[in-house]
Amino acid sequence: MSNKLSVNTVNRQLKAALSRLLRKDLCLLKQGLHERTIVHKFATYLQIKFPDWDVDVEYNRNINDIKEIVIDLEEKRIIPDIIIHHRQTHENLLAIEVKALQRPNRKSIAKDKIKLQRYKDQLGYDYACFILFIVKDSTNPEPYTIEWI
């Protein structure tokens, strides 16, 4: 890919967007708002950090086709939470799956991590990461974790 960024650069920009989300919109986590609300706001900050890329929420197209991956020998239609890419090309930088939970569900998280690996293997994303936001916890100084897949 012509615009490939290093994982260090992507990680630094991702963390900067997360920092801005926590600085400006921590109330979304504290109040336990719906995951889509948090994802949308986070994506707006990612767009600032990745100005030469398209940052889309729940984007379900692979050029002109429906985005699909194979899991357990079965084709499944997918809608990633956030992708950073160039629309209408095969330039796919980062796929992000997000969970915003008060009590993390291991089974649901494991499914998201499998999807992320398939995004890389089957759809050509350079990078993929899983972000867990812990909601309704005002005592946690860093209410998220990032896991690179």
Side-chain angles (χ1 to χ4, degrees):
M1 281 183 205
S2 59
N3 294 319
K4 182 157 180 168
L5 301 174
S6 73
V7 70
N8 290 334
T9 299
V10 173
N11 187 43
R12 187 172 49 253
Q13 298 299 71
L14 181 84
K15 285 184 175 181
L18 282 165
S19 177
R20 187 168 187 173
L21 175 72
L22 296 180
R23 195 171 56 253
K24 296 180 78 56
D25 297 294
L26 184 60
C27 64
L28 301 177
L29 301 178
K30 286 183 178 181
Q31 293 175 354
L33 278 122
H34 195 279
E35 180 180 296
R36 283 187 215 133
T37 303
I38 296 165
V39 165
H40 163 73
K41 187 50 73 174
F42 178 43
T44 63
Y45 299 135
L46 284 168
Q47 185 64 74
I48 293 165
K49 293 298 176 183
F50 294 91
D52 298 330
W53 293 84
D54 298 304
V55 176
D56 288 310
V57 174
E58 297 192 4
Y59 193 86
N60 72 337
R61 290 287 186 258
N62 188 12
I63 310 253
N64 294 319
D65 297 323
I66 299 289
K67 196 174 293 245
E68 295 180 326
I69 56 174
V70 176
I71 297 178
D72 298 328
L73 303 176
E74 189 178 323
E75 263 191 15
K76 298 190 184 231
R77 291 183 175 192
I78 52 144
I79 305 172
D81 290 327
I82 301 173
I83 59 173
I84 301 175
H85 64 141
H86 289 131
R87 292 186 198 114
Q88 298 296 306
T89 74
H90 292 287
E91 294 182 13
N92 297 314
L93 181 66
L94 176 63
I96 303 170
E97 287 291 336
V98 173
K99 287 288 183 227
L101 303 167
Q102 190 169 2
R103 288 184 246 7
N105 176 321
R106 286 191 173 119
K107 188 175 183 180
S108 175
I109 290 170
K111 286 171 94 174
D112 277 354
K113 290 178 183 179
I114 290 168
K115 286 193 299 185
L116 286 166
Q117 187 61 54
R118 297 305 189 278
Y119 297 163
K120 288 174 62 179
D121 296 343
Q122 297 173 19
L123 299 175
Y125 281 85
D126 293 332
Y127 310 110
C129 73
F130 175 80
I131 300 174
L132 173 64
F133 289 108
I134 304 299
V135 298
K136 292 187 174 180
D137 183 355
S138 60
T139 63
N140 195 341
E142 197 163 275
Y144 67 86
T145 60
I146 303 171
E147 184 175 338
W148 289 91
I149 308 299

